[in-house]
Every structure is written in C-alpha cells, then in structure tokens.
Amino acid sequence: MTSMEILNNILTSLQSVFSLQTREPILFSSGTFWIIFIVFISVYSLIRRQKVQMMLYVTAFSLYFYYRANGFMFLILPGTAFIDWALAILIHKSQSQWKRRFYLIYSICLSTGILFSFKYSNFFLETWNNLLANNLQPFDIFLPIGISFYTFQTISYITDVYRGKIKPTNSFLQYLFYLSFFPLILAGPIMRADKFFPQIQSKRYISKEMIYGGLWLIIIGIIKKAVFADYIAQYNNWVFDAPLQYSGFEGVMAVIGYSAQIYCDFSGYSDIAIGIALLLGFHFNMNFDSPYKSASITEFWRRWHISLSSWLRDYLYISLGGNRHGKFRQYLNLIITMFLGGLWHGASWNFVLWGMFHGVALALHKAWMSITGRKKGEQSHGIRRVFGVIITFHFVCFCWIFFRNADIHNSMDMLRQIFTVFRPQLFPQLIEGYWEVFALMLLGFLLHFAPDRWENAVCRGVIRLPFLGKAVLMVAMIYLVIQMKSSEIQPFIYFQF
C-alpha cells in the first residue's frame, strides 16, 4: 500500500468519525470508539485536576458522542437541561410552597412531555385507530437514543431539590456535565446527582487499582457483549422472528438463550460504562448483581438493573404512597409502578404486559411474606432457596417472551408452539446443529451462578499480576473477542429504550 493510499484511508476514517450526515452511535464494542477514546483520555489526563477545563472538555466530548447517536436531535439535551437547571434554582430560592410545587410539576411535565412525544405518540395513535377503526397515519418520528435515561436523571435531580435532599448547583456547566456524561448517556446506569456532584468537586486522583479495575470491567463487558450476547443472539433472532416455523422445544431454548443474551448485553454495557468512569476517576455502583441467583421476584428486582429499580422505588412507588396506606394500596402501588416501568421500556402492549406480570408477582410475593410472617430482606436457605431460584428464573424467562417479541401475536404464537408442538425428540438434532450456541449459553450460566467470591478473587488476582502478566491477559482477551464476535457489530439492546 502506498503512502497516498494510507493517507486516503486515514482521511476516510476521520471523515466517518466527524460526519454530520448520519445517526450512527459510536458503540463501546467497536474499534472506532476505542481509537477515539485513547486520544480523548490522553488529553483528559493532562487537565483532569483543573475542574472547569475538565468539565468543558468532557462535556464537549459527551455532546459529540451524543450527537453521533442522534444527529442534531442532540440539541434537545442541552435545551431541556438549561430549563431544568433554572427551575431547580427557582425551587430552592422560592419561599412559597405552591410556587415550588408549580416549578416541580412544570419541570416533570416538560421532561415527560418531550419523552411522550417521541416515544409514545404513534403507540397511542395506533391504539386510537384500533379502537375507533380510524386510519390516521403515524408520525415520522425518530426516537433519540438515551432520552429515557437522561429524562430519569432530570426528574430525580429536580425532585431531590424539591424534597431538600440536595442543593441545586449554580453552575449550568456542572449540571450539563452530569446529564450528558458520555459513559452513561445512551443506556445508563441512571446516576443520582447526590452521588455524582461530590465526585466532580473532588480532586481527580486515579489509583492503579482504579485503572486496572476499570480495564478489567471493560474487557469483561466487551466479552459479555461481543462474545456471549451477540453470538447467542443469532439463534434467538431466528426463533423469535418466526416462532411458528420452530417447535416449542426450540422456542424454549430461544427463551433461555434470550435470558442469557439480555443479561450479557445490558450488564456488559454497564460494566464498560462503569469501567470507563473509573479510568476517568469516577465511581459508580454496580448495576447488576447476578440477578438469576434470586430466590424471589422481589430479590430479582434488587439485583436486576439496580439503578432503574431503585429509581422506580424512590420516585414512583414512594410518591404513590408506598406501603404507608395499608396492604391493598401497597399492592396496587407495586402493580402501577411496574406497569409504568414496563411502559417506559417501550411503546408496546407487550411491554405493558411484561410490567404487569412483574407487578402482580411482586404484590403476590409481598402478600405471601405477610401471611408467612417473613421479614423484609430475609433470605431463604437450603432446598427452599434452590426451589425459589428455579421458580423465579422460570417466571422471569416466561416474562421475557413478551419483552422480546415484537407484538402480542408473536408472543402468543410462541406460547402456542411451546404448549402444543413441543417435540422434545428434536433435542439431539438441535444440539448437533447449534452446539456452539448452547455451549456458550451453558458456560454463561455456569459463570453467572459461580460464587461471588470466585469472581472477586479473580479480579484481585488480575490486579496483583505484574505488568507483563496484565498485558498478556489483555491481549489474550482481545484476541478472543476478535475471534468470537459476530461479523457485524450489534447495537446494545437497551439503546431502543
């Protein structure tokens, strides 16, 4: 290759990076992102202790990162951020309770109104057409990636200011930095301002443990996504896209496969985001805690998407009254909370049913705890816990059918195949044809159910390795990802929410 050809390739790559023509998110699992990130963090390391310069630099990069996902729709973010920032200051300064409440309601209505317009307009229009046999044409709407996540952050921020939990920041730059922070902006985790703002103010000290721990999380996250989730997805997609063409047994395997896929996909994203934040000097809590080890649906929601489940608890369930108005209201509040949580995931009756199933299950579990006299947070043990884990896992898998399918009809078709055309005799043929997929599924579940102390011991062992050992391990893992990843880089599942 001549020097001119090399130069042309570099210019082409740069043009794609700074292109203004397409909405193409820069995925954490892509080589493009890591090339850009190396350049980014090289400059960041020079200015990380200069607070204003650091915030300006990271915010500019975050907005570019968000722009690449949404084009000029990214302007919605700083626009709504400015309004919410100003309203939070007004809430804090106002002595009138009705004004404070007005500012709060106005901010929440603005944030949810924008989200509603983009996410649910066509859903309600379609429902209206079905009810009244109308033929109104759907709107041509592009749903900005990440809008659901930063909307939750704006609501939590202004609600915490209203409740007196935090004081609003007088710096719009600091608020925009918090809201647009690029590791979190597209798919979370959802970060609270009271945990984030103190870290902005503190000195940027990045220890070796943070660097190695961050790199470990990034590599593990990429392996979860590019090796496990994307590879298993190939089989799952075939079955879920045309459930009537497959037997019930093949459908069951796809459901189990999807439970592994969505966990590896989303927890992988969270691991990468938390790892990147560690490299920048920020600490985030874990977002997943081996959720399929749960022995009850309540425990599952303490372990699955922790930042979302805690948000729903603190800002929706408690706002509805929580458990303060008797058992019936508590159970109703749980169902309403999960109904809205399901609707948040997507504009589809499938998501509504998924949320309702979980809400009813949570209410039934609370009722059972009340009947048996068991205390909140009390863990079951022995054979009872084993049965609890099995029942909870199968219930969660059943609900994933509605979460994954495009519509109710596909979900019912898959269930019909499972209960009427099961055909378990296909097991040998299925294993022979897709043994790599099922081997990865089995390996993934074995790693998932391994004791937590094993994972912690491996992480500590990696950190203690000499530099050469770390380098060899990283190269080996990168090689594994390159060899195992699918031909096309797949977007993260939660980008659609």
Side-chain angles (χ1 to χ4, degrees):
M1 183 179 293
T2 66
S3 58
M4 184 59 69
E5 289 174 332
I6 295 174
L7 179 61
N8 285 336
N9 288 339
I10 294 173
L11 291 174
T12 301
S13 299
L14 289 174
Q15 183 180 3
S16 67
V17 168
F18 294 100
S19 171
L20 303 180
Q21 305 302 319
T22 57
R23 296 186 179 109
E24 294 180 358
I26 306 174
L27 303 177
F28 287 165
S29 53
S30 71
T32 301
F33 171 79
W34 294 108
I35 292 171
I36 297 172
F37 182 73
I38 289 170
V39 177
F40 163 82
I41 202 168
S42 300
V43 178
Y44 178 84
S45 63
L46 302 175
I47 62 171
R48 70 178 188 274
R49 295 183 180 178
Q50 302 170 39
K51 188 176 68 174
V52 174
Q53 291 90 327
M54 182 274 292
M55 286 195 295
L56 281 169
Y57 177 65
V58 176
T59 301
F61 181 81
S62 296
L63 290 176
Y64 161 72
F65 184 78
Y66 193 59
Y67 160 78
R68 280 303 303 265
N70 295 302
F72 284 104
M73 287 289 189
F74 90 98
L75 293 172
I76 296 172
L77 172 60
T80 55
F82 180 80
I83 296 173
D84 288 324
W85 168 75
L87 288 171
I89 293 175
L90 289 174
I91 288 173
H92 181 68
K93 291 183 176 180
S94 178
Q95 301 299 315
S96 170
Q97 182 61 24
W98 76 265
K99 285 185 178 180
R100 297 177 75 250
R101 188 169 297 168
F102 171 78
Y103 296 141
L104 172 70
I105 293 172
Y106 181 78
S107 173
I108 293 175
C109 287
L110 176 66
S111 297
T112 55
I114 293 172
L115 178 63
F116 180 92
S117 299
F118 281 103
K119 198 167 186 177
Y120 303 104
S121 296
N122 283 331
F123 171 64
F124 284 100
L125 183 63
E126 180 184 354
T127 303
W128 179 269
N129 285 340
N130 291 336
L131 288 174
L132 300 180
N134 287 335
N135 192 29
L136 299 176
Q137 295 302 308
F139 301 107
D140 184 14
I141 298 176
F142 169 77
L143 176 64
I145 298 174
I147 188 172
S148 297
F149 287 93
Y150 77 70
T151 296
F152 273 22
Q153 292 197 173
T154 62
I155 292 174
S156 68
Y157 171 73
I158 203 156
T159 303
D160 285 348
V161 171
Y162 176 81
R163 291 174 175 174
K165 185 177 180 180
I166 61 172
K167 291 183 178 180
T169 175
N170 290 320
S171 168
F172 174 64
L173 176 60
Q174 179 171 297
Y175 183 66
L176 186 58
F177 176 90
Y178 155 71
L179 208 60
S180 64
F181 193 51
F182 73 91
L184 310 181
I185 185 62
L186 297 186
I190 301 166
M191 190 66 178
R192 309 283 182 90
D194 64 324
K195 298 293 191 297
F196 195 80
F197 283 0
Q199 298 189 59
I200 299 175
Q201 300 296 338
S202 65
K203 294 182 180 179
R204 298 267 75 72
Y205 175 73
I206 305 174
S207 65
K208 287 184 179 180
E209 288 74 17
M210 292 173 68
I211 293 173
Y212 294 136
L215 290 173
W216 173 254
L217 282 173
I218 289 168
I219 292 295
I220 291 299
I222 292 175
I223 289 175
K224 283 182 179 178
K225 166 62 177 171
V227 176
F228 285 89
D230 287 355
Y231 200 89
I232 295 171
Q234 298 175 64
Y235 171 79
N236 298 338
N237 292 341
W238 294 328
V239 179
F240 276 99
D241 289 347
L244 291 177
Q245 296 181 19
Y246 296 87
S247 68
F249 180 75
E250 291 167 302
V252 166
M253 295 305 292
V255 174
I256 295 173
Y258 184 72
S259 70
Q261 178 195 346
I262 191 171
Y263 169 74
C264 290
D265 190 285
F266 195 21
S267 71
Y269 182 95
S270 295
D271 289 344
I272 298 170
I274 295 169
I276 292 173
L278 275 174
L279 296 183
L280 301 180
F282 292 87
H283 292 269
F284 297 156
N285 293 330
M286 62 181 178
N287 204 29
F288 290 85
D289 183 19
S290 303
Y292 295 135
K293 292 181 181 179
S294 304
S296 70
I297 195 63
T298 301
E299 184 182 351
F300 175 81
W301 279 104
R302 292 196 193 108
R303 292 170 172 263
W304 177 273
H305 201 348
I306 298 169
S307 64
L308 172 64
S309 57
S310 62
W311 192 99
L312 291 172
R313 179 197 64 209
D314 295 343
Y315 299 102
L316 191 53
Y317 173 70
I318 290 176
S319 298
L320 289 169
N323 60 359
R324 300 189 299 274
H325 303 290
K327 293 296 182 182
F328 177 78
R329 275 289 301 277
Q330 180 187 14
Y331 304 151
L332 181 61
N333 290 339
L334 283 169
I335 294 171
I336 293 172
T337 298
M338 293 310 299
F339 162 77
L340 294 174
L343 192 59
W344 172 82
H345 278 85
S348 164
W349 289 111
N350 258 21
F351 290 117
V352 171
L353 278 177
W354 173 81
M356 289 292 290
F357 287 147
H358 277 276
V360 171
L362 285 168
L364 290 174
H365 181 251
K366 291 292 184 186
W368 176 251
M369 294 282 286
S370 179
I371 292 170
T372 58
R374 293 181 61 189
K375 296 180 180 179
K376 180 180 178 181
E378 184 180 345
Q379 295 284 340
S380 57
H381 300 282
I383 193 67
R384 187 168 66 177
R385 180 164 184 83
V386 172
F387 277 112
V389 171
I390 293 171
I391 292 170
T392 303
F393 176 74
H394 282 81
F395 173 77
V396 170
C397 286
F398 168 77
C399 293
W400 285 140
I401 294 174
F402 295 88
F403 189 94
R404 168 59 179 82
N405 272 303
D407 53 47
I408 296 292
H409 300 296
N410 269 27
S411 299
M412 300 312 296
D413 287 342
M414 178 169 278
L415 288 172
R416 192 178 301 111
Q417 294 295 98
I418 291 172
F419 287 106
T420 62
V421 195
F422 192 66
R423 299 177 67 188
Q425 65 270 20
L426 290 176
F427 178 74
Q429 180 181 342
L430 193 61
I431 294 299
E432 182 180 354
Y434 302 103
W435 70 267
E436 300 99 330
V437 172
F438 298 134
L440 270 182
M441 286 168 53
L442 178 60
L443 177 60
F445 281 115
L446 288 174
L447 292 174
H448 183 82
F449 282 96
D452 292 338
R453 64 179 183 275
W454 292 8
E455 181 181 350
N456 296 331
V458 170
C459 185
R460 290 193 299 269
V462 170
I463 291 174
R464 294 194 194 102
L465 282 175
F467 178 78
L468 181 59
K470 292 186 181 76
V472 171
L473 180 62
M474 292 295 179
V475 170
M477 288 186 165
I478 292 170
Y479 178 78
L480 173 66
V481 170
I482 293 172
Q483 293 299 312
M484 293 290 295
K485 72 180 183 66
S486 58
S487 57
E488 293 184 6
I489 297 173
Q490 303 296 319
F492 290 90
I493 291 173
Y494 262 68
F495 280 6
Q496 64 184 293
F497 306 133

